[in-house]
Amino acid sequence: QSSPLLMVKHALSTVATRYLVTALLVVQSALWTRLLTPEGRGVYAKLQAGQGLLILLLGLGLTSGIVYFASSGKLSRGKLWGLAHRLVGLGALVTGVLLVVALVVPSLDFLFARGHATPFFLAYFFFSFVGAQYQLAFNAFLSADQCFPELNRIELWATLLRLGLVALAWVLNSGPGMLMALFVLDFLAHTTKTLLFGRAFRRLGIRAETTSWREARPVITYSFGLYALYVMQFSYQRIDIWLIEKWDGLAPLGLYSCALGLAQYLTILPMAPNSVLM
């Protein structure tokens, strides 16, 4: 068990890191939005919303269960990692099928912005989705182990890297073909963050073990309550993205998502101590 003093230190360190990360994100967002232009920002917002929805629906809220069951010792971490690993594989399979359908029937523009259901964006969506799933799983195990200094360092370095890549793109802005180049840079930053999480997770020495349904059921049952809450929250916070694109197009969606993103940065600060207490 951690001492109250250590927990306070973790909380203060996390809050300080989030203040710095938030400031960097505001600068990064300003450059990113200007590079993408409103329409490109709309394409990005639509892809992020679709990806976030699938991550939520196919993740079953398992990360909350991992934190609770791993930290309480009610199920071995190897079995929890085996369960998470299988869930990521299942999510990747389902997502792959949905993306192929979206590619074959581009008129179903639920995941992709209109006119952007191409192999390039399909690959970007799929591999970013898998990376995000693993990031959440790694984060859950590291949080259960109270590795907050490590998590803060990953968040800071990943943000600095992404800001550096966006700044480089700003300097080298070449006009035509810039949209795809920006998505490549975004994927590079996203993949690097996944690798940083994976490296930290490897230090925990957890090996995947087979989990029976009897063992997995309490974890899934515990996670489902929070899962339902997260789905409802996502629905009323993100449904507007699809509605705005349908009614007004990508450029207004880009402007809206920019404003929404800046507003959400403010929630990073009060959530910092909450993540430590959780």
Side-chain angles (χ1 to χ4, degrees), residues 42-44 46-47 106 109-117 245 250:
V43 173
Y44 186 73
K46 181 71 176 287
L47 287 170
D109 57 355
F110 184 69
L111 295 178
F112 298 102
R114 296 169 199 160
H116 292 82
E245 190 213 6
L250 288 173

Side-chain angles (χ1 to χ4, degrees), residues 66-264:
I66 289 173
V67 173
Y68 174 69
F69 280 83
S71 59
S72 64
K74 293 189 174 183
L75 187 63
S76 76
R77 300 186 178 200
K79 291 184 179 296
L80 286 169
W81 174 230
L83 180 61
H85 200 58
R86 288 164 63 185
L87 192 61
V88 171
L90 177 62
L93 178 62
V94 174
T95 300
V97 172
L98 291 175
L99 291 177
V100 170
V101 172
L103 185 64
V104 174
V105 190
S107 58
L108 299 175
D109 57 355
F110 184 69
L111 295 178
F112 298 102
R114 296 169 199 160
H116 292 82
T118 64
F120 172 83
F121 286 110
L122 184 148
Y124 168 86
F125 191 107
F126 178 79
F127 290 109
S128 295
F129 167 84
V130 173
Q133 284 283 70
Y134 274 116
Q135 281 185 30
L136 289 172
F138 293 149
N139 189 300
F141 282 103
L142 290 165
S143 296
D145 229 42
Q146 300 183 23
C147 301
F148 297 109
E150 188 79 28
L151 289 170
N152 290 335
R153 280 195 295 271
I154 291 172
E155 197 66 41
L156 182 57
W157 283 115
T159 303
L160 285 170
L161 171 64
R162 196 168 190 276
L163 176 58
L165 291 174
V166 172
L168 179 64
W170 175 265
V171 173
L172 302 177
N173 188 1
S174 57
M178 194 61 190
L179 182 63
M180 284 191 178
L182 289 172
F183 275 90
V184 170
L185 291 178
D186 181 73
F187 178 73
L188 177 60
H190 183 75
T191 302
T192 302
K193 187 174 182 179
T194 304
L195 293 174
L196 290 174
F197 269 115
R199 180 185 177 192
F201 172 78
R202 245 191 334 265
R203 296 196 191 103
L204 300 180
I206 300 173
R207 296 289 180 268
E209 300 174 18
T210 302
T211 310
S212 67
W213 169 246
R214 182 180 61 81
E215 294 169 322
R217 184 176 178 180
V219 184
I220 295 174
T221 302
Y222 172 87
S223 303
F224 191 79
L226 289 173
Y227 171 70
L229 175 63
Y230 295 153
V231 169
M232 287 187 287
Q233 287 179 337
F234 187 93
S235 298
Y236 75 74
Q237 289 176 345
R238 288 291 182 276
I239 194 67
D240 45 8
I241 288 178
W242 284 276
L243 293 176
I244 290 172
E245 190 213 6
K246 183 177 180 62
W247 291 338
D248 293 325
L250 288 173
L253 174 60
L255 295 172
Y256 173 78
S257 65
C258 178
L260 184 65
L262 288 173
Q264 286 178 330

